[in-house]
Amino acid sequence: MNSTRLPRARSRSKQLLVILSSLALSVAGAGPAVRAGASPAPAAVQVASMQDVVPVPVRTEPATGADHAITSGTAIYIQPGSAGVGDYLAALLRRSTGYPLPVKTAPSTPTDGISLLLTGADPTVGNQGYQLDVTASAVVIRANQPAGLFAGVQTLRQLLPAAVESTSTQPGPWTIPGGRIVDHPRFAYRGAHLDVARHFFTVDEVKRYVDEISLYKVNHLHLHLTDDQGWRIQINSWPRLATYGGELEVGGTPGGYYTQDQYRDIVAYAQSRHITVVPEIDMPGHTNAALASYAELNCNNVAPPRRTDIQVGYSSLCIGKDVTYRFVADVIREVAALTPGPYLHIGGDEANSTSQQDYVTFLNKVLPLVQQQGKTAMGWHDIVDATPPTSAVPQYWQTGTSHAGVQAAARRGNKILMSPANKAYLDMKYNSSTRLGLSWAGFIEVQTAYEWNPGAYLSGVGESQVFGVEAPLWSETLLNIDDIEFMAFPRLPAIAELGWSPQSTHNWSAFRQRLAAQGPRWQVMGVDFYRSSQVPWDTGNPGACSAPAWEPTAAYVGGQQVSYNDHTWTARWWTRGDTPGNNTQNVWTDNGPC
């Protein structure tokens, strides 16, 4: 079984939607994947504002009367090193504008069109930042590296009307507000994590998520490839890991795995969006799929049955057997060879069935294996119990604001990746009525996801000791890309802003307004985002709703209509208290903007 898995229980329309998304990916080339058939928001012709960009830039200087219009005569100009970004931008703009937008060699002094230059940027932008200048005659993005140009293009996208995300030609106009933006990230590492082990997601679903996170300048995708419930990467030296260990998923439905070519395809696609894939092979716990696949990995040489529940903490590789380290070495070698990025994540969390001494023994043998393959080891912060080398990156995931072991590791020189579960875990429910997700770390509304400081969250771990920020998304309850989007948006942009923008710019009142302006863009992209009541969503001025406002204390029967968050909703059956768009039984049908 490979990544073209058997269909699980989902509506025929959603299956078709995924197929159409896949077609959009192949047709769009360098442009980001969006759902075919999506329509632009009603307010698409309005000029955006430089004040609406997410993450908020370091410095913004709007200029009145300097707006720039993209027309049928616009060209995109490149220099050596910027051709990839130029082709990406051209593919994006051609779909929605219908303009030819030829990609040409840049003149010495840009006087028209859109120029992507690796010279002359403000010295503060570093390797990932950019300088964007918009005048009536020309748009110029300057950076020191292609990654900076790509970041500048994501800002340019947000300065264009939401209809620019459409897969079909739209009427425009395509006006960019005038001014200058100088921008660079707070942390070099800004990550999104996707668990493909509990539920498996196809190559095209992962690529779609790559496109969505790239819009918010996320530059690492942490793929959780293995766990108790499934093994999702082909290992040639241990083939049953994928063919047997990857056959099922949570709930017992058909799972799947990535062939090595499919994994390379994901990695290359992410690279084209300047996103580094970080593979995770969880060990010594979270290994039941491996133990079930090969009896010799068990201390008693008896393979346990495969598990498709969501329990954790019960499995462990056999620490005292030589075959364990031959197995681990083979897996690390193959995965490292497939992954050009510098990091390899070894998990290491919740090894409750491994004694402390065995755990330390295991990590002391495994961490050098990662280094031997030329990779920097990452692991959940549990690895600090084994005193890893200072090059290793512990990822903090618990909810407390104090951890002696992590604090000691930071003092020794380890940089800490911040992912506190009660702030950054995108699989936590928004509130008690959320139809997806878990709640063991608490409920995380958008404001909660935004209002914390990664550089001061953990006592004894200051800004300079923080490696970056990552937003994990575990998939125990997530079946498809729609579920991924509902849990990630709008919280992922909140975490992305904490990782990119200076702490001094973080302001909830301002952020919620900028986040609201993303709503029409997500509507065009077909993103199934959660319409949090904390955000004053801009739905393109759809007009007044004719249906009465939803009341949480009122009872509704099937067929009754209400208005909520500038949408009309129809009750499918009797309900009371279930918030439209955020209900446990999916009792409301969204009829769209008023």
Side-chain angles (χ1 to χ4, degrees):
M1 181 177 292
N2 61 24
S3 74
T4 308
R5 63 181 170 202
L6 297 175
R8 57 168 58 96
R10 67 172 79 174
S11 69
R12 185 176 300 274
S13 63
K14 286 193 175 182
Q15 292 181 44
L16 178 61
L17 196 56
V18 171
I19 294 171
L20 292 174
S21 297
S22 302
L23 291 173
L25 277 164
S26 61
V27 171
V34 300
R35 292 201 184 145
S39 300
V45 298
Q46 295 180 352
V47 178
S49 167
M50 282 194 169
Q51 310 300 331
D52 289 340
V53 176
V54 176
V56 61
V58 173
R59 191 169 85 237
T60 303
E61 302 170 1
T64 303
D67 294 353
H68 180 88
I70 297 175
T71 69
S72 59
T74 296
I76 295 174
Y77 298 106
I78 59 169
Q79 289 180 330
S82 66
V85 181
D87 290 341
Y88 167 90
L89 177 60
L92 169 72
L93 297 179
R94 285 170 185 155
R95 299 176 312 177
S96 52
T97 66
Y99 299 152
L101 294 162
V103 179
K104 303 179 178 181
T105 301
S108 56
T109 303
T111 58
D112 68 291
I114 302 172
S115 295
L116 304 173
L117 309 180
L118 290 170
T119 56
D122 186 290
T124 65
V125 302
N127 290 332
Q128 296 185 29
Y130 63 93
Q131 174 183 317
L132 169 64
D133 290 288
V134 181
T135 65
S137 59
V139 176
V140 181
I141 303 177
R142 299 180 183 272
N144 294 321
Q145 298 291 334
L149 289 179
F150 188 81
V153 164
Q154 303 316 307
T155 294
L156 181 65
R157 282 175 70 181
Q158 294 190 36
L159 296 179
L160 282 161
V164 77
E165 309 293 345
S166 177
T167 56
S168 60
T169 303
Q170 302 298 316
W174 308 105
T175 305
I176 307 167
R180 167 174 288 188
I181 292 176
V182 177
D183 202 10
H184 54 83
R186 177 186 186 186
F187 298 113
Y189 187 106
R190 303 169 308 282
H193 158 290
L194 183 62
D195 172 20
V196 299
R198 271 54 177 271
H199 281 103
F200 180 69
F201 303 105
T202 66
V203 170
D204 287 339
E205 288 176 312
V206 175
K207 286 181 176 180
R208 177 170 170 83
Y209 196 50
V210 164
D211 282 317
E212 291 168 349
I213 65 178
S214 71
L215 178 57
Y216 298 99
K217 303 182 177 69
V218 171
N219 65 347
H220 290 82
L221 176 64
H222 174 177
L223 285 179
H224 185 77
L225 293 167
T226 69
D227 214 297
D228 291 313
Q229 297 80 9
W231 187 285
R232 308 302 181 197
I233 177 72
Q234 178 186 23
I235 302 297
N236 292 331
S237 54
W238 299 77
R240 274 175 59 84
L241 291 172
T243 58
Y244 184 75
E247 191 173 14
L248 301 175
E249 61 183 11
V250 165
T253 48
Y257 64 89
Y258 307 118
T259 67
Q260 293 199 355
D261 283 343
Q262 289 168 332
Y263 177 78
R264 288 189 189 98
D265 183 32
I266 290 172
V267 170
Y269 191 86
Q271 282 183 311
S272 74
R273 272 67 175 157
H274 293 272
I275 290 175
T276 298
V277 169
V278 179
E280 179 184 352
I281 307 297
D282 210 342
M283 58 181 89
H286 290 271
T287 48
N288 194 74
L291 299 173
S293 300
Y294 287 96
E296 61 265 40
L297 297 179
N298 298 271
C299 289
N300 61 1
N301 292 316
V302 176
R306 292 177 293 189
R307 294 273 296 257
T308 58
D309 57 7
I310 65 172
Q311 296 302 310
V312 298
Y314 56 85
S315 61
S316 177
L317 294 171
C318 189
I319 307 304
K321 297 180 74 170
D322 290 341
V323 67
T324 294
Y325 302 100
R326 186 166 70 250
F327 161 75
V328 171
D330 287 342
V331 171
I332 288 176
R333 172 178 47 80
E334 291 196 36
V335 173
L338 295 169
T339 308
Y343 308 114
L344 196 152
H345 203 293
I346 61 168
D349 63 318
E350 297 175 322
N352 301 337
S353 294
T354 311
S355 71
Q356 178 63 26
Q357 183 56 53
D358 279 353
Y359 183 83
V360 172
T361 298
F362 178 83
L363 284 193
N364 285 342
K365 291 184 177 182
V366 167
L367 287 169
L369 297 176
V370 177
Q371 291 179 312
Q372 288 169 17
Q373 298 301 322
K375 302 299 182 183
T376 296
M378 303 180 76
W380 301 104
H381 74 258
D382 311 57
I383 68 171
V384 301
D385 293 339
T387 315
T390 55
S391 60
V393 180
Q395 182 171 0
Y396 183 72
W397 63 270
Q398 288 180 344
T399 60
T401 57
S402 178
H403 190 287
V406 174
Q407 186 178 22
R411 284 198 304 268
R412 289 192 299 268
N414 294 90
K415 294 295 183 73
I416 311 302
L417 180 59
M418 296 301 299
S419 300
N422 57 334
K423 302 291 184 181
Y425 270 34
L426 301 180
D427 56 298
M428 291 298 106
K429 292 176 177 287
Y430 292 95
N431 55 48
S432 61
S433 298
T434 307
R435 60 184 175 83
L436 298 170
L438 305 175
S439 58
W440 63 264
F443 301 127
I444 305 179
E445 252 288 4
V446 186
Q447 186 172 2
T448 301
Y450 184 77
E451 286 193 318
W452 64 284
N453 179 4
Y457 180 82
L458 203 55
S459 63
V461 181
E463 180 99 2
S464 65
Q465 296 164 303
V466 171
F467 188 70
V469 183
E470 185 171 284
L473 181 54
W474 302 98
S475 67
E476 287 93 339
T477 68
L478 312 185
L479 300 182
N480 51 46
I481 187 64
D482 298 318
D483 293 346
I484 290 172
E485 291 170 347
F486 183 81
M487 299 305 281
F489 293 91
R491 291 181 295 191
L492 180 118
I495 304 298
E497 178 152 308
L498 299 185
W500 179 277
S501 306
Q503 174 62 27
S504 61
T505 66
H506 296 171
N507 178 283
W508 165 247
S509 296
F511 175 72
R512 64 191 291 267
Q513 297 294 332
R514 286 183 288 105
L515 190 61
Q518 302 298 305
R521 191 168 306 275
W522 295 339
Q523 288 178 273
V524 175
M525 294 171 69
V527 173
D528 290 337
F529 66 100
Y530 165 65
R531 288 164 172 79
S532 169
S533 60
Q534 295 183 339
V535 181
W537 297 107
D538 177 359
T539 55
N541 191 26
C545 289
S546 58
W550 172 76
E551 298 179 15
T553 58
Y556 299 95
V557 297
Q560 280 192 282
Q561 286 196 336
V562 299
S563 61
Y564 183 78
N565 275 357
D566 295 324
H567 279 224
T568 56
W569 305 79
T570 301
R572 294 179 177 179
W573 51 78
W574 187 94
T575 180
R576 177 161 53 194
D578 282 316
T579 307
N582 183 33
N583 52 80
T584 55
Q585 300 297 323
N586 198 25
V587 298
W588 292 101
T589 298
D590 184 358
N591 302 318
C594 303

